[in-house]
Amino acid sequence: MTTLSRREALGAALGLTGAALSAPALAQGMAQAREWRPTRPMRYIVPFAPAGTADILSRMMAEAISARLGQPVIVENRAGAGGGIGTEVLAKAEPDGHTIGLVTVGTGAINYAMYRNLGYRPADIAAVSNICTVPNVIMVANRIPARTLGELVELIRKTPGGFNFGSSGVGTSLHLTGEMLKNGNGLDMTHIPFRGAAQMLLEAAAGRVEILVDNLPSGLPQIKDGRVRALAVTDTRRSASLPDVPTTTEAGFPDVQAVAWFGTVAPARTPRPAIEAISAALQEAARQPAFLAKLTEQGAEPVGNSPDAFEAFIKDEITKWDDVVRKAKVQIE
């Protein structure tokens, strides 16, 4: 039996393996990509504030595109409405290949079901390449005696309404991860949204929140410092950053799976040669050791797939999160 590495398994799931990277289709796509080049500086719209994981990864992608296409790529942060403001700006930009931007699990999947008056739709966005995924992690305050996710679920069942779970905001994949656990197991617990991991930790230490759900990169320092206890990661395989922490599937909760993902998109109707050129630049970057090392520092798993593979992945994610949001009965005007 052949055993796949974590990266190979993830690539197989999202349309990218080492073999696919060297396949004739990719070679043809890169040949076509060489026919298009930007004629002026490009804009890379980030629908979130500077300094966070999304911003860091966006600047990595912008730098990779600039290095391979020969024009500056200027990062423009347009935060607000769960990423909706910046994504709407991107969707309405001139579709000539000179304006591209970041897409995440929130802006590219969850928001469609979450926001009643979203200023863009899936048809307004063209997939370019998914650069990486990041698992979420379910943690508890140290005073909580549960050592496994199963033990935590039993504690919640014994004390209906006695537990709160925190996330970085309503409608995030973190919030909805908690809702998956709650609704899938008939649990009575209350969601408390925070402005970030730091605030969640303060509230956990003060005894006002028992369960925390965070992206692995921002939760990892607190786990390593022993300020919280990690019970499970919400990916299909264990994280290299937390090899001793089981997945939710291993813990007995296979329906609680959620990864954040970060990729590049363009306005719909952007010429295909431009999309292929930008995608080829990102796929090439995803194979470079220095770029991979930077992703690892962020607790991310590399992908670097084709426009078609990324488009298929996004469609599946839209369907998945629409179901989760509907069951959670959470909507924002």
Side-chain angles (χ1 to χ4, degrees):
M1 178 181 293
T2 300
T3 301
L4 296 179
S5 70
R6 178 171 174 76
R7 186 182 178 197
E8 289 169 335
L10 180 64
L14 301 184
L16 175 68
T17 64
L21 280 172
S22 59
L26 177 57
Q28 180 181 0
M30 295 189 70
Q32 293 173 347
R34 284 193 290 270
E35 299 174 2
W36 183 89
R37 285 292 182 271
T39 58
R40 62 181 187 277
M42 299 170 64
R43 284 199 304 164
Y44 196 101
I45 296 175
V46 182
F48 302 100
T53 300
D55 183 66
I56 293 169
L57 292 170
S58 294
R59 292 176 188 277
M60 288 173 57
M61 287 187 276
E63 181 180 340
I65 294 166
S66 175
R68 287 156 182 80
L69 297 187
Q71 285 283 356
V73 180
I74 300 167
V75 173
E76 181 179 320
N77 296 89
R78 300 290 294 268
I85 291 175
T87 305
E88 182 177 356
V89 171
L90 171 66
K92 294 179 178 179
E94 182 69 24
D96 60 2
H98 289 83
T99 300
I100 53 178
L102 177 75
V103 66
T104 69
V105 63
T107 62
I110 294 172
N111 282 4
Y112 296 121
M114 183 67 60
Y115 288 86
R116 292 183 184 273
N117 300 306
L118 197 63
Y120 63 95
R121 303 307 303 165
D124 299 327
I125 302 295
V128 176
S129 184
N130 186 9
I131 202 66
C132 66
T133 64
V134 174
N136 297 335
V137 57
I138 300 173
M139 307 169 286
V140 292
N142 285 326
R143 68 182 182 279
I144 304 303
R147 297 285 168 176
T148 68
L149 190 56
E151 289 178 2
L152 176 63
V153 167
E154 288 306 310
L155 281 175
I156 298 170
R157 284 176 174 157
K158 291 175 182 177
T159 315
F163 285 81
N164 299 322
F165 76 93
S167 79
S168 61
V170 175
T172 62
S173 70
L174 309 172
H175 168 205
L176 295 175
T177 295
E179 294 291 343
M180 286 182 190
L181 182 66
K182 172 184 173 180
N183 295 328
N185 296 280
L187 305 179
D188 181 4
M189 58 180 182
T190 303
H191 173 237
I192 301 180
F194 295 100
R195 293 183 179 179
Q199 187 184 16
M200 275 199 298
L201 285 166
L202 289 174
E203 294 298 304
R208 287 186 283 269
V209 63
E210 295 79 26
I211 306 160
L212 305 87
V213 187
D214 202 1
N215 290 135
L216 181 57
S218 51
L220 191 59
Q222 289 74 35
I223 296 167
K224 296 290 188 182
D225 289 346
R227 286 182 278 175
V228 292
R229 187 185 313 119
L231 299 185
V233 292
T234 62
D235 204 347
T236 56
R237 293 198 178 189
R238 296 192 183 198
S239 169
S241 301
L242 290 174
D244 295 330
V245 177
T247 67
T248 45
T249 297
E250 290 174 323
F253 302 89
D255 293 335
V256 184
Q257 289 191 10
V259 294
W261 42 269
F262 302 86
T264 292
V265 291
R269 300 179 303 282
T270 296
R272 185 69 181 191
I275 288 176
E276 293 285 358
I278 299 165
S279 181
L282 290 170
Q283 290 179 64
E284 182 181 345
R287 301 194 301 276
Q288 302 305 315
F291 193 90
L292 292 173
K294 289 181 180 179
L295 288 179
T296 301
E297 289 174 5
Q298 298 299 317
E301 293 288 345
V303 182
N305 56 5
S306 69
D308 290 342
F310 192 22
E311 181 180 6
F313 174 70
I314 290 174
K315 287 180 178 178
D316 288 343
E317 286 285 281
I318 290 172
T319 300
K320 168 186 174 177
W321 290 107
D322 180 80
D323 182 63
V324 173
V325 170
R326 181 171 46 80
K327 289 179 179 177
K329 299 179 181 178
V330 180
Q331 279 203 320
I332 300 172
E333 293 296 332

